[in-house]
Amino acid sequence: MARNVEFDEQLAVSKAMDVFWKKGYHGASTRDLTEAMGISNSSLYNTIVDKHQLFIKAIKLYTESRMDAARKMLQPIKSPLKAIEKFINASVYAITNEPNNCLTIKTTFEVATSDESV
């Protein structure tokens, strides 16, 4: 009989996302990920399947959270041109000034060109 999931998967994926952000896909070991997530290897494999699937979930979480933030930032702007301008400026600022540069850009350079699912 299968055991119930005993951890918050969304929170665990968020913690894994931080590890991938710092170490990259190839640099993050399963041990790094499970320690950050606070789960065992068996919990990882029983709920998320493997490191690759965890990475896909982390990238989805990241892109969804960035899209939500962009919608909230742009929602009050009435002019489509002003909204595009603000989005581009905010993106450039994030890429050039935030300590954790854009995870999707890092991912693109590391694995997206060789992994169709990413």
Side-chain angles (χ1 to χ4, degrees):
M1 185 169 181
R3 287 180 48 168
N4 291 336
V5 176
E6 297 178 8
F7 63 93
D8 180 340
E9 187 174 333
Q10 179 90 1
L11 179 62
V13 170
S14 177
K15 289 178 179 182
M17 180 179 69
D18 291 337
V19 174
F20 287 127
W21 213 331
K22 290 177 185 131
K23 295 187 173 199
Y25 176 74
H26 296 296
S29 69
T30 303
R31 182 180 193 144
D32 295 331
L33 294 163
T34 55
E35 283 180 4
M37 295 164 69
I39 64 172
S40 66
N41 280 345
S42 61
S43 291
L44 173 67
Y45 293 115
N46 288 335
T47 59
I48 299 174
V49 180
D50 60 18
K51 177 182 167 181
H52 187 263
Q53 289 303 312
L54 177 58
F55 186 64
I56 298 294
K57 286 178 181 264
I59 294 298
K60 284 182 180 179
L61 176 64
Y62 175 78
T63 55
E64 288 168 3
S65 67
R66 295 298 290 193
M67 290 299 295
D68 287 346
R71 281 187 203 98
K72 288 176 185 168
M73 174 183 67
L74 301 174
Q75 193 266 339
I77 301 172
K78 302 298 180 213
S79 165
L81 185 57
K82 292 286 184 194
I84 291 169
E85 182 180 348
K86 181 158 182 134
F87 178 77
I88 290 171
N89 287 334
S91 297
V92 168
Y93 180 85
I95 291 166
T96 59
N97 292 300
E98 290 181 2
N100 285 335
N101 291 325
C102 181
L103 181 59
T104 52
I105 290 174
K106 290 175 82 170
T107 298
T108 299
F109 285 113
E110 184 182 9
V111 295
T113 59
S114 61
D115 187 337
E116 201 173 297
S117 63
V118 175

